[in-house]
Amino acid sequence: EDLKHLESRGVLTRVRGGAVVSRNGAMEMSLEETSTTNHAEKMAIAARAASLVENGQTIIIDVGSTTTELAKALSPELSRVVVITNGLNIALILEALPGVSVIVTGGTLRPLQHSLVAPMGTLLLDQLKADVAFLGCNGVDPTRGFTNSNIAEAEIKQAMVRSAEKTVFLADHDKSGQGAAAFVTDISGADLLITDDAADASVLNNLEGDGLGIEMVRPGVK
């Protein structure tokens, strides 16, 4: 039972005759745990992203703590909005909005993140076209582009980028200048980055130089 618990947390992988430590023993944090980090910044980023959503749009909302805040921040006055999401918790949040229809991507459940991934995770995304995709990431860097710590989730994010006319990344300041294991898209693959005012200014300047739109928000300021 202890091995099962550690495997579920991403600490180790069970193999015949024992277990091996995963990713140098790094433990993946649950969505609930990551939600407490830079919470005010994530709420401000989400509020700005929510203001971009218009009536009649089809949008994609990726899994993650900041995108969860986006789902919470969507106006109850919205109408004829279709949301495509791979986050089960996000789908449940949006269930309360009468003007929003929810499509869940399908796929295989990653319990810690409440996310749906491969196998069978991209089939629906390949058949749909959205106006805007709102994505999270674990790192954004001028050289490495947008990256994610989990390969399976990165694959879904790539499909979301392909399915949307416009791609908006939501990333608090801890993500700027960072790189993670799995590539999502290079800088030219995104249209806008919404971050907070504590993000590394030199990194943001370089990103803008590469043609990425940047919006910075200040926590607590509307």
Side-chain angles (χ1 to χ4, degrees), residues 65-131:
S65 54
T66 308
T67 48
T68 294
E69 294 299 332
L70 165 59
K72 294 176 181 178
L74 289 179
S75 170
E77 303 301 319
L78 285 172
S79 65
R80 299 174 289 106
V81 170
V82 177
V83 175
I84 304 163
T85 185
N86 64 325
L88 296 183
N89 67 311
I90 289 172
L92 292 175
I93 291 168
L94 296 177
E95 189 178 28
L97 298 184
V100 175
S101 299
V102 181
I103 299 174
V104 179
T105 60
T108 304
L109 179 64
R110 293 192 67 234
L112 283 178
Q113 306 304 324
H114 317 307
S115 63
L116 297 171
V117 297
M120 310 296 284
T122 64
L123 296 180
L124 183 140
L125 286 167
D126 291 339
Q127 302 300 316
L128 297 175
K129 202 68 178 177
D131 296 296

Side-chain angles (χ1 to χ4, degrees), residues 129-150:
K129 202 68 178 177
D131 296 296
V132 188
F134 295 96
L135 274 66
C137 64
N138 294 117
V140 52
D141 177 81
T143 302
R144 292 171 285 187
F146 293 92
T147 54
N148 199 66
S149 58
N150 183 269

Side-chain angles (χ1 to χ4, degrees), residues 37-61:
T37 304
N38 299 330
H39 184 64
E41 289 85 347
K42 290 174 180 178
M43 289 182 65
I45 292 167
R48 175 56 187 147
S51 73
L52 301 178
V53 179
E54 301 177 359
N55 291 337
Q57 283 188 325
T58 296
I59 67 173
I60 294 170
I61 301 182

Side-chain angles (χ1 to χ4, degrees), residues 12-31:
L12 53 78
T13 301
R14 288 188 295 167
V15 297
R16 184 176 180 87
V20 294
V21 176
S22 300
R23 295 183 292 123
N24 296 319
M27 181 180 289
E28 181 181 12
M29 296 176 66
S30 69
L31 179 66

